[in-house]
Amino acid sequence: MAPQIRRLQVAVSGLGRMGARHANHFLHRTPRAELVAAFTPDPKELAWAQANLEPWGVKIYSDYDEMLNHKGLEAVCVATATTVHAEQTIKAIEAGKHVLCEKPLSTELSISEKVLQVAKAHPQQKVMCGFSRRFDSSYLAAYQTALSGSIGRPTILRSQTCDKYDPSGFFVAYAEFSGGIFVDCNIHDIDLALWFFSSTEKELPKVKSVMAVGVTALEPDLAKHGDVDNGVGVVEFHSGQIAYFYSSRMNAPGQHDMTEIIGTSGKLTVNANPTNGLTESHLPSGIHREIPQNYYERFENAFVEEARQFTDAVLDNKAVPIDIESSVEAVRIGVALQESLRNGRKIFFDKQGNKVEDGSRAKL
Amino acid sequence: MAPQIRRLQVAVSGLGRMGARHANHFLHRTPRAELVAAFTPDPKELAWAQANLEPWGVKIYSDYDEMLNHKGLEAVCVATATTVHAEQTIKAIEAGKHVLCEKPLSTELSISEKVLQVAKAHPQQKVMCGFSRRFDSSYLAAYQTALSGSIGRPTILRSQTCDKYDPSGFFVAYAEFSGGIFVDCNIHDIDLALWFFSSTEKELPKVKSVMAVGVTALEPDLAKHGDVDNGVGVVEFHSGQIAYFYSSRMNAPGQHDMTEIIGTSGKLTVNANPTNGLTESHLPSGIHREIPQNYYERFENAFVEEARQFTDAVLDNKAVPIDIESSVEAVRIGVALQESLRNGRKIFFDKQGNKVEDGSRAKL
Amino acid sequence: MAPQIRRLQVAVSGLGRMGARHANHFLHRTPRAELVAAFTPDPKELAWAQANLEPWGVKIYSDYDEMLNHKGLEAVCVATATTVHAEQTIKAIEAGKHVLCEKPLSTELSISEKVLQVAKAHPQQKVMCGFSRRFDSSYLAAYQTALSGSIGRPTILRSQTCDKYDPSGFFVAYAEFSGGIFVDCNIHDIDLALWFFSSTEKELPKVKSVMAVGVTALEPDLAKHGDVDNGVGVVEFHSGQIAYFYSSRMNAPGQHDMTEIIGTSGKLTVNANPTNGLTESHLPSGIHREIPQNYYERFENAFVEEARQFTDAVLDNKAVPIDIESSVEAVRIGVALQESLRNGRKIFFDKQGNKVEDGSRAKL
Amino acid sequence: MAPQIRRLQVAVSGLGRMGARHANHFLHRTPRAELVAAFTPDPKELAWAQANLEPWGVKIYSDYDEMLNHKGLEAVCVATATTVHAEQTIKAIEAGKHVLCEKPLSTELSISEKVLQVAKAHPQQKVMCGFSRRFDSSYLAAYQTALSGSIGRPTILRSQTCDKYDPSGFFVAYAEFSGGIFVDCNIHDIDLALWFFSSTEKELPKVKSVMAVGVTALEPDLAKHGDVDNGVGVVEFHSGQIAYFYSSRMNAPGQHDMTEIIGTSGKLTVNANPTNGLTESHLPSGIHREIPQNYYERFENAFVEEARQFTDAVLDNKAVPIDIESSVEAVRIGVALQESLRNGRKIFFDKQGNKVEDGSRAKL
């Protein structure tokens, strides 16, 4: 018998590392979605698609605009390079599609704001930036606990994104377009701060100051892109909340992303004690465990859950779990941290999000 | 476009707690399988199937034999009550189907041996008993480490199956047909012993003695079924290996199944430090974490992986990951432990698996 | 000014590995005690004493009886080889001294009972067998929690004593006089069972059956002393409580003694997650931690606390924390486990502690 | 017999919370030291001393200068209020005594520098500021690992000092003289940064910039002392190393001080997974553990070790483990962080430790 289930008709744009995973998630792990099309201009990605997607009935396009015209297409998952996230998202919205866009919306604030503007002009369509951690079961459990009030008012948030060291030089080349470590890595941590700090307030906290420093401990060539391999940033909000971040490209055992949400009457930790499962080895050299080797090993299930929740939001016409305003705010903060890293200065903002020169106006 | 992928045509028999889960796994989470049919004689389960399976094109049967005749059916997942596992498995094999049968094969050794005999008579078909822990990523990681030789020869294995206390009296009613706590719970731990102890030996270890004791701490009525709510069992093998087990129906915070594999040069632990994710709460009363509430919360991914590996074994004509002989051996040991629990005696076996009366022939 | 504090005048008998430690504890870490004398017949130990004890004013004796006559001596800590524990303890009691005796009282039940008898004949003197774990802060915390009732009735106890593997063959030679692994190692775990099982009952549980098995995985020569390097034992009590034990001489990373106390409404674990402090190393090979290398690294503070509590009990005329009856019971169980290991049989007891031949009288 | 051991003749100044502990450590837990005198001007402390120190032969003084004249006195442990640390230390040095002074040397940089100057003028005397964490076994283990080179060059250090919330308002009153949260709490973390960052460099790192922010989440009255109950600070060093700190007065379950030392090829964590021993409770509400309630519960053994190592350094004429220059540098950084917290600005330093106005001279 043929299925009689209404399934969301989805296309994935970009079939690189993450795009291929998104395609698989919509194809095999999102029951209410049907992957009908995919776009890639890249020959290697195309070959992968012919072997792995076409046999399942997915139509492959080498032209993004043609793909948007795929008959019956309802939603697009944008998973190309960051530099074209915004452009493709806008095009898809304007073509009447719902959009799930990989983070960040852009490495530039003004472009992110443009996406927001277009999204607002199409209120019937769902537009969401994919901050995967919000769909991770451990972060979700922490959020529910925060919402319950057990830790009081979330006041301080510490969060880090630490990648395993990749000696191939990949990170140096990547830094040219990534927007820098605060925009590429800590953007997740910034998003978490916005999420948790608004959990009890019911409005987005407004940035008051940012300050960042960093070093190039293993990859001095990052300096030519104004980037570092270890960064520390601190963000004050006008609401009397503080978030501080660390990012690194040189974590030895693997991926270690962790977060503490510190409230007035308790604290939540996510991944303070990292592990890759429930196995430990007791050997003459001591007790050993392993941790995930990359963010996908850590967050695979979160990405699947992201695809499912986005699909549900569209099919059931519910609000998407991550507000696009919040994702623009994350870019504002990430970009400002990167600027502070580069010019060595603390940067101040008024409550409208405008930079102000005189720090004393914003002092304690 | 219609998919051109060859997918295994699967039916699930029984749509109770576990059967419904197996149906969902084959329907939505096993890309190379297609759930085409399901059987249940139960009206409530039927209603569930009409709402959740039929819309996806699954044909529902209330007669098992009819289901076996479903056109194109290739494989059956038997997930009914333990009392009919063996009968349905045998029928399916004789109808030419591959079979994945829930554990245990039977609560009686002779019936289990009958299944083995029928399976051997149909060597082209895949028959596997579903010991889900063998597909759990943490157990698999431990197994790979054991195979690598890092812990030397696995010599002692400790394993426990502890369920959250269910005050409804469910376990008392359930004990009438479950075969008892060693056959129902510790059968998993017995299977792990057989798996790990044969990892370096390349043959199944042969049981030499079993001894079990137990108490009814919370459910005295279990005694009328010759059962307990806390059991401790010890199994010696002729190969100079020892496994010892604990099972409980009264674990306070939830499901806590854990295993230690102790080798001559190291030890592996699985779930020594139980948790339900990566979140901890730091509250005035201390630091808190939660654990899975039942075996499905703990082993959900393992059940999905089981479905996938069974499907792969059939489609690619590979050996199934769990040998049916081993699953019969698990029943032999589980039944003997339950007998020892009931009669208070240590039970001895010769190397052929026959009980011997005189323990001294088997002494240290 | 000279101190005006009344301090207990203590002697230590035996200055081997543990004796030297006891001497140091009484000399430097037990403010209310004064180490005034020590006995050793061994030239190497004597040399150590001359260098480390004499300069602090401690008188060294090579004759035990002479030491007992040391002017003002009030208490003796017996820390010689197990074979003379009982004899020296009895002599000291009869000389009017309080005694802290290292565990076990003896490797023979009848001799242990003799000590009890002599102790009872001198009710004004304090006699205590030094089961160090009862003074460990983690065990004490667990005991307080058990006493509070939070875990209900302690019903199952699992406990293990696992030594780091010593490839020198030391354990083989040692086995000649140690009484075997259940009497030497698991005696601690047996003591814990007696302690926790009587916490809510207020009387010592009475052993109903014991069963033990074991293997010589690394040291086959242990067999000539009727011993093993890995042992598993199960003890049933007439009170409906069960303790099960594991001991090993081949733990790879170091000492790992752990205990679970399982009650009808909760469970306490001690050292489920072993570590040697609060440091972890995150290296390319994973996350690593170390554990104590021997029981003294694990229990050093407990031994000091033992000396302090014994001293307080004498000076303040309070009951000693460990009842001597209980320590005799521990020998009864340890010796029976070792016997079961050797003859391969389950051993049954009536409520008076007499062995009974017919297991069926004691069956479930 | 009277002891013939040469013991350091020590006095303790101040018998408040920490002073009384220091007195006990020198009296009962530092075998090579003899507590001969103590000073307190406070009637309550005096009463405590009469009950607890005098009976052990300790002479009590209510005049500090008189105590310095105690016959045979060799060393003084200064444990009074922070405001008189420097004055008493200088007096003791000038009286020819060795000095162990509680941290910090002073809440003012110039006064700390005066202590350094006096200490340098008396090179035969040992002068050490008591940063207790350097004597904690977990920190020592981490330091040895860092020295071994396994983590490469220590590059980033994160460290926090978090006290259990004390609702009595104690912290508000205390803030008047404490120098503020960065000088009082994070001074320990600053000291750790100086220690670890110089482990491979063999010279003290030179501060390049500091930036701090904070909030008064529970105690708004702290603002009147220019202080906060939660502070975050970041310190850059000219050596290309970064330390970032967090301090809090509102940690819910107790004291949680933790540190990460991140090197170019590995990371060390100290207390990432806090606990108060090895016990966990498995209850219907989940798994629970407790943590130390205050810094003394966490660091008691470190304080004892500090007394012992100071004593050894004097008696054996070795360098004290903590260089006084380093302790002055810690004050410089702590005071600057507190200043940055108060004026909202980032503060820059040249390599000579002088503040420089133009941040751009110090930019990335």
Side-chain angles (χ1 to χ4, degrees):
Chain A
M1 293 177 290
Q4 302 141 11
I5 292 288
R6 152 103 168 87
R7 289 198 284 168
L8 185 69
Q9 308 293 293
V10 180
V12 168
S13 171
L15 296 171
R17 205 170 46 165
M18 258 334 286
R21 289 164 182 160
H22 281 295
N24 274 322
H25 300 168
F26 279 107
L27 183 56
H28 296 307
R29 302 169 75 173
T30 311
R32 299 184 76 196
E34 188 173 4
L35 184 72
V36 295
F39 155 73
T40 177
D42 179 270
K44 260 172 76 179
E45 293 177 19
L46 184 67
W48 178 86
Q50 284 162 342
N52 293 283
L53 303 182
E54 266 189 3
W56 294 92
V58 180
K59 170 82 175 160
I60 313 301
Y61 293 89
S62 58
D63 182 288
Y64 182 72
D65 298 316
E66 266 184 53
M67 187 195 74
L68 286 183
N69 287 326
H70 184 94
K71 192 170 171 336
L73 182 68
E74 296 173 283
V76 178
C77 170
V78 174
T80 40
T82 297
T83 40
V84 289
H85 283 178
E87 178 195 332
Q88 293 195 347
T89 296
I90 289 171
K91 272 190 179 177
I93 298 173
E94 291 180 339
K97 312 303 175 195
H98 307 281
V99 182
L100 169 60
C101 177
E102 257 296 333
K103 50 61 51 181
L105 287 174
S106 168
T107 59
E108 289 184 44
L109 177 58
S110 60
I111 296 179
S112 301
E113 286 171 332
K114 182 74 197 315
V115 175
L116 171 61
Q117 198 182 323
V118 175
K120 280 191 166 167
H122 296 77
Q124 303 309 317
Q125 289 158 243
K126 308 298 178 190
V127 181
M128 181 172 98
C129 188
F131 282 103
S132 46
R133 291 189 201 170
R134 292 216 197 186
F135 303 94
D136 174 66
S137 57
S138 298
Y139 278 103
L140 284 166
Y143 191 75
Q144 289 309 315
T145 306
L147 269 189
S148 79
S150 344
I151 62 160
R153 185 192 191 221
T155 303
I156 309 285
L157 184 137
R158 176 174 81 77
S159 197
Q160 72 180 34
T161 299
C162 297
D163 294 336
K164 188 178 174 74
Y165 180 53
D166 174 347
S168 72
F170 166 79
F171 284 127
V172 177
Y174 181 67
E176 187 170 357
F177 301 108
S178 73
I181 202 163
F182 290 102
V183 175
D184 183 52
C185 289
N186 283 133
I187 196 93
H188 283 292
D189 307 291
I190 297 166
D191 176 63
L192 292 171
L194 296 172
W195 190 34
F196 278 95
F197 282 168
S198 57
S199 65
T200 50
E201 316 290 305
K202 308 305 172 204
E203 62 170 348
L204 277 179
K206 286 168 183 43
V207 58
K208 178 179 166 191
S209 80
V210 309
M211 201 288 299
V213 294
V215 293
T216 53
L218 290 178
E219 297 289 358
D221 286 354
L222 284 167
K224 68 186 175 203
H225 303 306
D227 208 5
V228 292
D229 50 21
N230 285 269
V232 172
V234 181
V235 179
E236 275 185 298
F237 292 94
H238 283 288
S239 49
Q241 294 165 308
I242 294 171
Y244 65 113
F245 307 123
Y246 172 53
S247 48
S248 176
R249 303 291 195 187
M250 70 180 200
N251 197 49
Q255 189 80 20
H256 186 190
D257 301 339
M258 86 86 74
T259 302
E260 288 182 308
I261 304 100
I262 302 162
T264 44
S265 57
K267 173 167 77 172
L268 299 166
T269 64
V270 179
N271 207 21
N273 201 23
T275 182
N276 193 14
L278 299 166
T279 312
E280 288 196 324
S281 301
H282 294 226
L283 302 176
S285 49
I287 298 183
H288 310 282
R289 67 181 189 277
E290 292 179 9
I291 67 170
Q293 294 303 291
N294 53 59
Y295 73 97
Y296 189 66
E297 281 192 22
R298 169 65 184 88
F299 290 110
E300 177 176 343
N301 286 333
F303 282 107
V304 173
E305 183 65 18
E306 177 184 290
R308 290 181 190 166
Q309 290 201 19
F310 172 74
T311 299
D312 288 352
V314 174
L315 291 177
D316 304 339
N317 195 20
K318 296 183 299 192
V320 286
I322 307 174
D323 200 306
I324 195 81
E325 272 93 349
S326 165
S327 302
V328 173
E329 200 60 25
V331 173
R332 183 194 314 279
I333 294 171
V335 165
L337 282 165
Q338 199 74 23
E339 180 186 339
S340 172
L341 169 74
R342 287 169 182 164
N343 71 17
R345 297 179 184 279
K346 185 173 175 184
I347 299 172
F348 300 86
F349 293 86
D350 64 20
K351 292 189 178 177
Q352 285 68 47
N354 304 307
K355 283 193 217 169
V356 289
E357 282 306 312
D358 183 6
S360 62
R361 283 173 46 200
K363 85 184 176 80
L364 186 76
Chain B
M1 294 176 290
Q4 302 140 12
I5 293 288
R6 151 104 170 87
R7 290 197 284 167
L8 186 69
Q9 307 293 293
V10 179
V12 168
S13 171
L15 295 171
R17 203 172 43 164
M18 256 336 285
R21 290 164 181 162
H22 281 296
N24 273 324
H25 299 168
F26 279 108
L27 182 56
H28 296 306
R29 299 169 76 174
T30 311
R32 299 184 75 195
E34 188 172 3
L35 185 74
V36 295
F39 155 73
T40 176
D42 180 89
K44 258 173 75 179
E45 293 176 17
L46 185 66
W48 179 86
Q50 283 163 341
N52 292 282
L53 303 182
E54 267 189 2
W56 295 92
V58 181
K59 170 83 176 158
I60 313 300
Y61 293 89
S62 58
D63 182 288
Y64 182 72
D65 299 315
E66 266 183 55
M67 185 196 72
L68 287 184
N69 288 325
H70 184 92
K71 192 169 172 337
L73 183 68
E74 296 172 283
V76 177
C77 171
V78 174
T80 40
T82 298
T83 41
V84 289
H85 283 178
E87 179 194 332
Q88 292 195 347
T89 296
I90 289 171
K91 272 192 179 176
I93 299 172
E94 291 179 338
K97 311 302 175 197
H98 308 281
V99 181
L100 168 61
C101 177
E102 257 296 333
K103 50 62 48 181
L105 286 173
S106 168
T107 59
E108 288 184 45
L109 177 59
S110 60
I111 296 179
S112 301
E113 286 171 332
K114 183 74 196 319
V115 175
L116 171 61
Q117 197 182 325
V118 175
K120 280 191 167 167
H122 296 75
Q124 304 309 316
Q125 290 158 242
K126 309 297 177 191
V127 181
M128 182 173 98
C129 188
F131 282 103
S132 47
R133 290 190 203 171
R134 292 215 196 186
F135 303 95
D136 173 66
S137 57
S138 298
Y139 278 104
L140 284 167
Y143 191 74
Q144 289 309 315
T145 306
L147 269 190
S148 78
S150 343
I151 62 160
R153 186 191 191 222
T155 303
I156 309 286
L157 184 137
R158 174 173 83 78
S159 198
Q160 73 180 33
T161 298
C162 296
D163 293 336
K164 187 176 175 76
Y165 180 54
D166 174 348
S168 72
F170 166 79
F171 284 127
V172 177
Y174 182 68
E176 187 170 358
F177 302 108
S178 74
I181 202 163
F182 290 103
V183 175
D184 183 52
C185 290
N186 283 134
I187 196 92
H188 284 292
D189 307 291
I190 297 166
D191 175 63
L192 292 172
L194 296 172
W195 189 34
F196 278 94
F197 282 169
S198 57
S199 65
T200 51
E201 317 291 302
K202 309 303 172 203
E203 62 170 349
L204 277 180
K206 287 169 180 42
V207 59
K208 180 180 166 191
S209 80
V210 309
M211 200 288 298
V213 295
V215 294
T216 52
L218 290 178
E219 297 288 359
D221 285 354
L222 285 167
K224 68 185 176 204
H225 304 305
D227 208 4
V228 291
D229 50 21
N230 285 269
V232 172
V234 181
V235 180
E236 274 185 299
F237 293 93
H238 284 287
S239 48
Q241 294 165 307
I242 293 170
Y244 66 112
F245 306 122
Y246 171 54
S247 47
S248 176
R249 303 292 194 186
M250 69 179 201
N251 198 50
Q255 188 80 20
H256 186 190
D257 302 338
M258 84 87 75
T259 302
E260 288 182 309
I261 305 102
I262 302 162
T264 44
S265 56
K267 174 167 77 171
L268 299 166
T269 63
V270 179
N271 206 20
N273 200 22
T275 183
N276 193 14
L278 300 167
T279 312
E280 288 196 325
S281 301
H282 294 228
L283 301 177
S285 50
I287 298 183
H288 310 282
R289 65 182 190 278
E290 291 179 9
I291 67 170
Q293 294 304 289
N294 54 58
Y295 73 98
Y296 189 67
E297 281 191 20
R298 169 66 184 86
F299 291 112
E300 176 176 345
N301 285 332
F303 282 107
V304 172
E305 183 65 19
E306 178 185 290
R308 291 181 189 167
Q309 289 200 19
F310 173 74
T311 299
D312 289 350
V314 174
L315 291 178
D316 304 338
N317 196 22
K318 297 183 300 190
V320 287
I322 308 173
D323 200 306
I324 196 82
E325 272 93 350
S326 165
S327 302
V328 173
E329 200 59 26
V331 173
R332 182 194 315 278
I333 294 171
V335 166
L337 282 165
Q338 199 73 24
E339 180 186 340
S340 172
L341 169 75
R342 287 168 182 165
N343 71 18
R345 296 180 184 281
K346 185 174 175 182
I347 299 173
F348 301 87
F349 294 86
D350 64 19
K351 292 190 179 178
Q352 286 68 48
N354 304 307
K355 282 192 217 168
V356 290
E357 283 307 312
D358 184 5
S360 64
R361 280 173 48 199
K363 86 182 175 83
L364 188 74
Chain C
M1 296 176 287
Q4 302 142 12
I5 292 288
R6 152 103 169 87
R7 290 198 284 168
L8 185 69
Q9 308 292 294
V10 180
V12 169
S13 172
L15 296 170
R17 204 171 45 166
M18 258 335 285
R21 288 164 182 162
H22 281 296
N24 274 323
H25 300 169
F26 279 107
L27 182 56
H28 297 306
R29 300 170 75 175
T30 309
R32 299 184 76 195
E34 187 172 6
L35 185 73
V36 295
F39 155 72
T40 176
D42 179 89
K44 259 172 74 179
E45 293 177 18
L46 185 66
W48 178 86
Q50 285 163 340
N52 293 282
L53 304 181
E54 267 189 3
W56 294 92
V58 181
K59 170 85 175 159
I60 313 301
Y61 292 89
S62 57
D63 182 289
Y64 182 73
D65 298 316
E66 265 184 53
M67 186 196 71
L68 287 184
N69 288 326
H70 183 94
K71 192 170 173 335
L73 183 69
E74 296 172 285
V76 179
C77 170
V78 174
T80 42
T82 298
T83 40
V84 290
H85 283 178
E87 178 194 332
Q88 292 195 347
T89 296
I90 289 170
K91 272 190 178 176
I93 298 172
E94 292 179 339
K97 311 303 174 197
H98 308 280
V99 182
L100 168 60
C101 177
E102 256 298 332
K103 49 63 49 183
L105 287 173
S106 168
T107 59
E108 289 184 44
L109 178 58
S110 60
I111 296 178
S112 301
E113 286 171 331
K114 183 76 197 318
V115 175
L116 171 61
Q117 197 182 325
V118 175
K120 280 191 166 168
H122 297 77
Q124 304 308 316
Q125 290 159 243
K126 309 299 177 191
V127 181
M128 180 174 100
C129 188
F131 282 102
S132 45
R133 291 190 204 170
R134 292 216 197 185
F135 304 94
D136 174 67
S137 58
S138 297
Y139 278 104
L140 284 167
Y143 191 75
Q144 288 311 314
T145 306
L147 269 189
S148 78
S150 344
I151 62 159
R153 186 190 191 223
T155 303
I156 309 286
L157 184 137
R158 175 174 81 77
S159 198
Q160 72 180 34
T161 299
C162 297
D163 292 338
K164 188 178 174 76
Y165 180 52
D166 173 348
S168 73
F170 166 79
F171 284 128
V172 178
Y174 182 67
E176 186 170 359
F177 302 108
S178 74
I181 202 163
F182 290 103
V183 175
D184 182 51
C185 289
N186 283 134
I187 196 92
H188 284 291
D189 307 291
I190 297 166
D191 176 64
L192 292 172
L194 296 171
W195 189 34
F196 278 95
F197 282 168
S198 58
S199 65
T200 50
E201 316 291 302
K202 309 302 172 204
E203 63 170 347
L204 277 180
K206 287 169 182 42
V207 58
K208 178 179 167 192
S209 80
V210 309
M211 200 288 298
V213 294
V215 294
T216 52
L218 289 178
E219 298 288 359
D221 285 355
L222 284 166
K224 67 186 177 203
H225 303 307
D227 208 4
V228 291
D229 50 21
N230 284 269
V232 172
V234 181
V235 179
E236 274 186 300
F237 292 93
H238 284 287
S239 49
Q241 294 165 307
I242 294 171
Y244 66 112
F245 307 123
Y246 172 54
S247 48
S248 176
R249 302 292 195 186
M250 68 179 202
N251 197 50
Q255 189 81 19
H256 186 189
D257 301 340
M258 84 86 74
T259 302
E260 288 182 308
I261 305 100
I262 300 163
T264 44
S265 57
K267 173 166 77 170
L268 299 166
T269 63
V270 179
N271 206 19
N273 200 23
T275 182
N276 193 15
L278 299 168
T279 312
E280 288 196 325
S281 301
H282 293 228
L283 302 176
S285 50
I287 299 184
H288 310 282
R289 66 182 190 275
E290 293 179 8
I291 66 170
Q293 294 304 291
N294 53 58
Y295 74 98
Y296 188 66
E297 282 192 20
R298 168 67 183 87
F299 291 110
E300 176 175 345
N301 285 333
F303 282 108
V304 172
E305 183 64 19
E306 176 184 291
R308 291 182 190 167
Q309 289 200 20
F310 172 75
T311 299
D312 288 352
V314 175
L315 291 178
D316 304 339
N317 196 21
K318 297 184 299 193
V320 287
I322 308 174
D323 199 305
I324 195 81
E325 272 93 350
S326 165
S327 303
V328 173
E329 201 58 27
V331 173
R332 182 194 314 280
I333 294 171
V335 165
L337 282 165
Q338 200 74 22
E339 181 187 339
S340 171
L341 169 75
R342 286 168 183 164
N343 70 18
R345 296 180 184 280
K346 184 174 175 183
I347 298 172
F348 300 87
F349 294 85
D350 64 18
K351 293 189 179 179
Q352 286 68 48
N354 304 306
K355 283 192 217 169
V356 289
E357 283 306 311
D358 183 5
S360 63
R361 282 172 46 199
K363 88 183 173 82
L364 188 75
Chain D
M1 293 177 290
Q4 302 142 13
I5 292 288
R6 151 103 169 87
R7 290 199 283 167
L8 185 68
Q9 307 292 294
V10 180
V12 168
S13 171
L15 296 171
R17 204 171 46 164
M18 259 332 288
R21 290 165 182 161
H22 282 296
N24 274 323
H25 299 169
F26 279 107
L27 182 57
H28 296 308
R29 301 169 76 174
T30 310
R32 300 184 76 195
E34 188 172 3
L35 185 73
V36 294
F39 155 73
T40 177
D42 179 90
K44 260 172 74 179
E45 293 177 18
L46 185 67
W48 178 86
Q50 283 162 342
N52 294 281
L53 303 182
E54 266 189 4
W56 294 92
V58 180
K59 170 83 175 158
I60 313 300
Y61 293 89
S62 58
D63 181 289
Y64 182 73
D65 299 317
E66 266 185 53
M67 186 195 73
L68 286 184
N69 288 326
H70 184 92
K71 193 170 171 338
L73 183 68
E74 296 172 284
V76 178
C77 171
V78 174
T80 40
T82 297
T83 40
V84 289
H85 282 178
E87 178 194 333
Q88 292 195 347
T89 297
I90 289 171
K91 272 190 178 176
I93 298 173
E94 291 179 339
K97 311 304 175 197
H98 308 280
V99 181
L100 168 60
C101 177
E102 257 297 334
K103 52 61 46 181
L105 286 174
S106 169
T107 59
E108 289 184 43
L109 177 59
S110 61
I111 296 179
S112 301
E113 286 172 332
K114 182 76 196 317
V115 175
L116 171 62
Q117 196 181 325
V118 175
K120 280 191 166 167
H122 298 76
Q124 304 309 316
Q125 289 159 243
K126 309 298 178 191
V127 181
M128 182 173 98
C129 187
F131 282 103
S132 47
R133 291 189 204 170
R134 293 215 196 185
F135 303 94
D136 173 66
S137 58
S138 297
Y139 278 103
L140 284 167
Y143 190 75
Q144 289 309 315
T145 306
L147 269 189
S148 78
S150 344
I151 61 159
R153 185 191 191 221
T155 303
I156 309 287
L157 184 137
R158 175 173 81 78
S159 198
Q160 72 179 34
T161 299
C162 297
D163 293 337
K164 189 178 174 74
Y165 180 53
D166 174 348
S168 73
F170 166 79
F171 285 128
V172 177
Y174 182 67
E176 185 169 0
F177 301 107
S178 74
I181 203 163
F182 290 102
V183 175
D184 183 52
C185 289
N186 283 134
I187 196 92
H188 283 292
D189 308 290
I190 296 166
D191 176 63
L192 292 172
L194 296 172
W195 190 34
F196 278 95
F197 281 168
S198 58
S199 66
T200 50
E201 317 290 303
K202 308 306 173 201
E203 62 170 349
L204 277 180
K206 286 167 183 44
V207 58
K208 179 178 164 190
S209 79
V210 309
M211 201 287 299
V213 295
V215 294
T216 53
L218 290 177
E219 296 290 358
D221 286 354
L222 284 167
K224 68 185 176 204
H225 303 306
D227 208 4
V228 291
D229 51 20
N230 285 269
V232 171
V234 181
V235 180
E236 274 185 298
F237 292 94
H238 284 287
S239 49
Q241 293 165 308
I242 294 171
Y244 65 112
F245 307 122
Y246 172 54
S247 48
S248 176
R249 303 292 195 187
M250 69 179 200
N251 198 50
Q255 188 80 20
H256 186 191
D257 302 339
M258 85 86 73
T259 303
E260 288 182 308
I261 304 101
I262 301 163
T264 44
S265 57
K267 173 167 78 171
L268 299 166
T269 64
V270 179
N271 207 20
N273 201 23
T275 181
N276 193 16
L278 299 166
T279 312
E280 288 196 324
S281 301
H282 294 227
L283 302 176
S285 49
I287 299 184
H288 310 281
R289 66 182 190 278
E290 292 179 9
I291 66 170
Q293 294 303 290
N294 53 57
Y295 73 98
Y296 189 67
E297 280 192 20
R298 168 67 183 87
F299 291 110
E300 176 175 345
N301 285 332
F303 283 108
V304 173
E305 183 65 19
E306 177 184 289
R308 290 181 189 166
Q309 288 200 20
F310 173 74
T311 300
D312 288 351
V314 174
L315 291 177
D316 304 338
N317 195 21
K318 296 183 299 190
V320 286
I322 307 174
D323 200 306
I324 196 81
E325 272 92 351
S326 165
S327 303
V328 173
E329 201 59 26
V331 173
R332 181 194 314 279
I333 294 171
V335 166
L337 282 165
Q338 200 74 22
E339 180 187 340
S340 171
L341 169 74
R342 287 169 182 164
N343 71 19
R345 298 179 183 280
K346 184 172 176 185
I347 300 172
F348 300 87
F349 294 86
D350 64 19
K351 293 190 179 178
Q352 285 68 47
N354 304 307
K355 284 192 215 167
V356 288
E357 282 306 312
D358 182 5
S360 63
R361 280 172 49 199
K363 84 184 175 81
L364 185 77

